[in-house]
């Protein structure tokens, strides 16, 4: 049965006004990664603050400090923290989203001015930076709140808000704030809903219940006092590059098998139930080949390929610092090089534990080389994997809402990437966290690969590609299908309406799991 | 017996005037590698042309075309081609040198203005860019010619000149010219003397009779259509970096042993006589450790270490293009990478032959990886090794001169590096070529590692280091000991005086070898 209520009708009937509000948001180029755009990020924070207040929410713009960027000291954009409603008889849902965006220039290959929302009537798509990531989803919540207000419909839950402006640049200052607010604003939170991800494919709704963690390593090998000429010293000295290649060739096989003892043993075993989840997923090996832009998918089996991404660890060699890296031909012997690689983590792999295993293994293997060069390995940073049971009332409510609004049972999926703040919410609040995408994968634009982006996002890079093959040209054109914006808003709202019953049933003891 | 003749006395008595001429030359910043300095290079060519003409030489400034540099089309500096004397009864010696220099800025760490010759009276050293490389040696020839002119001493040989202004930037246009002039200006050349190298150490005179060749390779491995995010696709695809590390780990051992079948077999066997040459060389393993700035010399045996540099092939991995190469932590999976390595060649290894062996081996090894990525290997360029018999009258004349002037028999040595034009002279003219250094190793300054420099020079990079440990700071301060300038000039002149007898003896059938 389709959802039909005064508030849903109001959303459908006021579609144009809601698109116009999205247009206002997109027109503010709140790029968090570039110093010159920082005033716009603050302006965007103010705009969102005012919108929420106008809808009756109590909002604080929390100053989370400063940062050094491009040689300047900049105020970090405020984190908007607040609430709507405080009825002790209702569940309290914490909503997370971000109002900053990735950079975008016409010269990157946009068809339309990226900071002007362009409604393509033919495809009924809304093009513009932030339309999908993540202004669209945030405004989806505003749509829901306004619809209830305009139609005098009582909100079924209390809401808490946590909207940041630094997500594209490492979420600086956010973790400390969340931890602090666990005893404050977020004290009574029953569950968290993050709407900053995407469906796996283009047609099948998804709920995300897992993310891989990360351990990132830098291995330094040094010998000579300065770069040498390979004519003069080639053959005379132990070369750091030779040692590095010998060492890194022992990390992983071309088939992706990690060779570091102890890593694979610690992966939680696959259950038949879990395997069924991957079999049900709306993606083929051909889709994956399209996503990566080449026929280089290791496994020809869809389930194996998806599990390699979602539930098994992986090791990637990213590059070498200190060696010759530009076009042309230099005959240099680099004196000191740093090899960089990282391992994606899944339960039950802990970053610290993985760090110890890697350190021990590389030290043993380096000793075997019999080189007089010096060697050092350090773990630059680590993030734990996150997996939530989909058997929690939070997921049940979203499942029910999805079934009602889209007429389909959602796929449950785990992400290959890492969104550290998810784990912070889960651990700091001790309550269930769910990623509730309201937008299809292809709506997300390719992002610049800033460090922050790469460490916090998996969404955009895959979204570029799904169904696009290697057509990178369009990947810049971030858009949101109007249907995702309108129907997506209704799905988010319906989820809130399903929370009370789902929570009550769980409280009554039906398979509650944390 | 020390050399004593009117022309040698004249050089000693006019020392200051000769130093002042060197000062004039150093004051022209003839940097060939930077477009903005090009007018100075032409000015230096004109200055040298005028000096030679003033001394009675017939000189043509040959235009060898244009080049693209920093987006500009520039006239190449002229090659000065000419002669002094044409007595059919005399041998004809071709002299090669270059009047361009490496860049130099005070900010690089010079103690004195690099383009102002500074005479340090305490150490009696002449500091300035080009003082040793290669304006000092060229002016050494001018000193010899002028001394003969001023003292009415007959020149013992006919001279041919080939002075270029692009040596620090790849000697563009020179090879074609030399080949062309074999039927012209250089038709009657009996032997060639290149004075653009250095002694192995600081006290023992050397003659250079060999240079290693070079085969430079680029290996491309590609898979995905664009760079991927390691969270999303790590474990799903064959990663080009993983393949590259697996492949390059099979090129050479950390002990420098080349693993490509067929390479080591083709190295000319070591004879007991040749081994004696290395045993005689004025260098210890400690010197080599000082030269490289670290205790990373593979062999603890001096002879093995020197032979690794001078008479055996070596393989160095220079870097990776297309991967993450800057500081920090990016979780990128590079879609397409190029690994660069090169092999230094010695007799009897030919570049083409080595290219085939490398290609075959890498294709076989890549196939073993079972990767779906694509692979391509190309040889970017190759240069043959050069070795000359030291038993030729050209070397005998220089040996005799060295014994007379320095009171020591010179060491014969081979260079680890490559100076392609040497081979051009040897092959195009079909006559003996000798490298006659008149300056000690430490006089040469460290050069910027431009491609041209790296492909054509070994001298400066080692010279920096010999006896300097890892003290890079002073390496910028190129200097020429006054004694090397004055005594060195006398040695060069005495060599010319020893040519007739040595050549006659050879002609008379005493151990002539070509």
């Amino acid at each position: 049965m389709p959802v039909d209520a005064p508030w849903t009708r109001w959303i459908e009937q006021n579609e144009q006004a809601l698109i116009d509000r999205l247009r206002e948001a997109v027109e503010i180029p709140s790029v968090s990664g570039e110093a010159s755009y920082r005033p716009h990020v603050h302006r965007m924070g103010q705009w969102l603050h005012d919108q929420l207040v106008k809808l009756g929410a109590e909002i604080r713009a929390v100053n989370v400090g400063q940062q050094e960027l491009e040689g300047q000291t900049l105020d970090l954009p405020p984190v908007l923290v607040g609430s709507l409603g405080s009825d002790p008889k209702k569940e309290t849902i914490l909503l997370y989203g971000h109002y900053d965006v990735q950079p975008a220039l016409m010269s990157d290959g946009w068809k339309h001015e990226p900071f002007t929302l362009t409604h393509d009537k033919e495809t009924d798509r809304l093009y513009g930076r932030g339309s999908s990531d993540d202004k669209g989803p945030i405004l989806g919540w505003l749509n829901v709140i306004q619809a209830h207000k305009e139609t005098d419909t009582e909100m079924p839950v209390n809401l808490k808000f946590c909207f940041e402006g630094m997500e594209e640049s490492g979420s600086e200052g956010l973790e400390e704030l969340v931890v602090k607010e666990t005893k404050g604003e977020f004290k009574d939170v029953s569950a968290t809903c993050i709407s900053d991800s995407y469906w796996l494919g283009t047609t099948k709704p998804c709920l995300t219940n897992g993310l891989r963690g990360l351990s990132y390593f830098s291995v330094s090998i040094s010998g000579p006092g300065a770069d040498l000429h390979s004519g003069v010293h080639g053959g005379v000295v132990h070369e750091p590059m030779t040692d590095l290649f010998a060492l890194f060739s022992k990390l992983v096989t071309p088939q992706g098998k990690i060779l570091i003892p102890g890593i694979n043993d610690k992966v939680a075993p696959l259950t038949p139930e879990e395997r069924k989840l991957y079999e049900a997923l709306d993606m083929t090996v051909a889709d994956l080949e399209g996503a990566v832009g080449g026929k280089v998918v290791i496994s020809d089996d869809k389930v194996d390929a998806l599990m390699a991404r979602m539930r098994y660890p992986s090791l990637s060699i990213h590059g070498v610092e200190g060696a010759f890296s530009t076009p042309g031909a230099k005959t240099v012997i680099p004196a000191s090089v740093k090899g960089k690689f990282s391992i994606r983590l899944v339960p039950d792999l802990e970053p610290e534990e993985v760090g110890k295993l890697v350190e021990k293994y590389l030290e043993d293997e380096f000793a075997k080389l019999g080189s007089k060069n010096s060697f050092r390995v350090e773990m630059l940073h680590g993030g734990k994997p996150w997996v939530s049971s989909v058997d929690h009332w939070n997921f049940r409510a979203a499942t029910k809402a999805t079934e009602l609004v889209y007429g389909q049972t959602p796929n449950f999926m785990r992400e290959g990437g890492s969104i550290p703040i998810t784990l912070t919410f889960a651990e700091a609040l001790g309550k269930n966290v769910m990623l509730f995408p309201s937008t299809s994968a292809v709506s997300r634009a390719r992002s610049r690969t800033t460090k922050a982006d790469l460490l916090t996002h998996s969404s955009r890079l895959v979204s570029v590609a799904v169904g696009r093959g290697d057509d990178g040209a369009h990947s810049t054109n971030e858009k949101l299908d109007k249907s995702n914006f309108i129907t997506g808003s209704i799905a988010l709202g319906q989820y809130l309406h399903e929370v009370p019953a789902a929570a009550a049933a769980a409280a009554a003891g039906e398979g509650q799991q944390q």
Side-chain angles (χ1 to χ4, degrees), chain A:
Chain A
M1 61 168 188
V3 177
D4 180 30
W7 69 271
T8 63
R9 282 196 296 277
W10 186 92
I11 288 177
E12 287 161 345
Q13 286 154 9
N14 293 274
E15 157 184 310
Q16 193 52 52
L18 303 182
I19 291 171
D20 291 340
R21 176 160 56 195
L22 180 60
R23 175 172 290 105
E24 273 185 51
V26 167
E27 280 169 0
I28 302 173
S30 51
V31 177
S32 57
E34 299 183 11
S36 62
Y37 284 80
R38 185 56 56 88
H40 298 300
V41 187
H42 284 273
R43 190 153 58 87
M44 182 66 203
Q46 186 62 51
W47 182 90
L48 183 57
H49 169 278
D50 297 347
Q51 294 289 329
L52 286 161
V53 168
K54 198 159 50 168
L55 293 173
E58 292 174 5
I59 300 293
R60 283 179 294 135
V62 181
N63 176 351
V64 288
Q66 298 182 314
Q67 75 167 149
E68 293 298 318
L69 185 61
E70 298 164 31
Q72 304 173 48
T73 302
L74 302 172
D75 288 335
L76 289 166
V79 177
L80 301 182
V81 172
S83 63
L84 179 71
S86 58
D87 183 337
K89 296 185 301 302
K90 294 177 181 173
E91 299 294 340
T92 299
I93 303 298
L94 170 61
L95 308 179
Y96 165 86
H98 63 92
Y99 60 81
D100 61 319
V101 297
Q102 280 285 322
L105 299 168
M106 281 302 282
S107 58
D108 296 339
W110 284 70
K111 289 179 302 187
H112 314 287
E113 178 48 51
F115 294 109
T116 300
L117 191 74
T118 303
H119 187 168
D120 180 329
K121 303 286 184 186
E122 252 179 57
T123 60
D124 219 12
R125 290 173 164 178
L126 306 165
Y127 287 91
R129 171 61 86 222
S131 59
S132 161
D133 178 22
D134 185 42
K135 291 174 176 178
I138 287 182
L139 267 63
W141 292 118
L142 297 189
N143 298 345
V144 170
I145 296 166
Q146 185 175 9
H148 284 70
K149 194 164 182 289
E150 302 281 351
T151 59
D152 293 320
T153 307
E154 184 185 359
M155 287 293 287
V157 298
N158 304 316
L159 292 178
K160 295 288 185 181
F161 306 99
C162 182
F163 295 149
E164 69 162 318
M166 280 295 286
E167 195 272 352
E168 302 292 5
S169 303
S171 295
E172 285 194 46
L174 182 62
E175 181 166 6
E176 300 70 10
L177 174 80
V178 170
V179 171
K180 184 166 157 296
E181 292 296 338
T182 50
K183 298 184 178 51
E185 190 70 55
F186 304 153
K187 186 162 41 51
D188 303 322
V189 166
S190 323
T192 299
C193 179
I194 295 176
S195 195
D196 181 27
S197 60
Y198 61 97
W199 298 350
L200 182 61
T202 58
T203 57
K204 179 81 171 172
C206 297
L207 297 176
T208 307
N209 71 308
L211 297 165
R212 291 199 289 189
L214 179 74
S215 287
Y216 199 105
F217 298 91
S218 174
V219 174
S220 309
I221 301 180
S222 311
D227 285 358
L228 300 176
H229 183 284
S230 68
V232 182
H233 294 112
V236 178
V237 299
H238 290 285
E239 300 187 15
M241 284 291 273
T242 305
D243 294 351
L244 185 68
F245 275 79
L247 201 59
F248 276 22
S249 70
K250 302 198 172 87
L251 291 173
V252 60
T253 70
Q255 283 64 41
K257 179 169 185 289
I258 296 175
L259 298 171
I260 301 158
I263 299 277
N264 299 315
D265 327 342
K266 295 203 166 54
V267 176
L270 176 70
T271 64
E273 299 65 38
E274 188 191 346
R275 186 180 170 90
K276 287 199 187 66
L277 296 178
Y278 301 108
E279 288 164 349
L281 288 180
D282 167 32
M283 185 167 249
T284 65
V285 169
D287 290 336
L288 282 168
E289 289 175 342
V292 301
K295 296 194 174 303
V296 292
V297 173
I298 295 171
S299 173
D300 299 327
D301 177 71
K302 159 200 164 177
V303 174
D304 288 345
L306 287 172
M307 290 197 299
R309 162 178 165 183
M310 297 178 178
R311 70 105 52 214
Y312 285 112
S314 63
L315 189 153
S316 297
I317 299 171
H318 306 300
V320 181
E321 180 184 343
F324 174 49
S325 62
T326 53
K330 267 192 192 176
T331 57
V332 64
I333 297 174
S336 181
V337 294
K338 283 183 181 176
K340 317 271 183 85
F341 72 95
S342 66
I343 303 175
R344 293 283 162 174
L345 307 181
V346 297
D348 302 314
L349 287 166
E350 294 291 318
E352 297 65 27
E353 175 184 37
V354 168
K356 287 193 188 69
L357 289 170
V358 167
E359 206 164 314
K360 171 80 169 63
Y361 177 68
L362 288 181
E363 277 164 3
D364 293 349
E365 290 300 321
F366 185 79
K368 291 180 193 169
L369 299 183
S371 169
K372 294 177 182 174
N373 289 324
S374 62
F375 158 89
R376 192 166 56 85
V377 54
E378 69 185 311
M379 187 165 95
L380 296 186
H381 42 72
K384 295 179 180 180
W386 166 75
V387 173
S388 165
S389 162
V390 299
D391 204 15
H392 186 277
W393 60 258
N394 197 25
F395 279 86
R396 293 185 176 185
T399 301
K400 183 87 184 294
T402 304
E403 288 166 348
L404 291 172
V405 174
Y406 293 100
Q408 309 184 59
T409 303
N411 280 154
F412 296 109
M413 57 175 273
R414 283 160 65 173
E415 271 295 347
S418 312
I419 307 180
I421 200 62
T422 306
L423 196 75
T424 306
F425 283 122
E427 295 194 332
L429 299 176
K431 297 296 170 71
N432 182 274
V433 177
M434 171 182 63
L435 271 60
F436 191 174
S438 62
T439 164
S440 73
V442 292
S443 67
R444 294 270 174 138
R446 177 203 297 257
S447 68
R448 263 196 339 188
T449 54
T450 59
K451 173 184 170 186
D453 170 74
L454 285 163
L455 292 178
T456 58
H457 271 70
S458 60
S459 56
R460 269 178 260 64
L461 281 170
V462 72
S463 61
V464 173
V466 172
R468 300 288 190 89
D470 58 2
D471 181 357
H474 297 163
S475 63
T476 44
N477 295 289
E478 179 177 356
K479 61 91 183 156
L480 179 63
D481 286 69
K482 196 190 77 184
S483 64
N484 279 116
F485 186 53
I486 299 305
T487 314
S489 297
I490 293 173
L492 292 174
Q494 190 59 32
Y495 150 70
L496 300 181
H497 279 273
E498 299 299 334
V499 162
E510 286 180 37
Q512 173 166 19
Q513 295 182 23
Q514 190 59 55

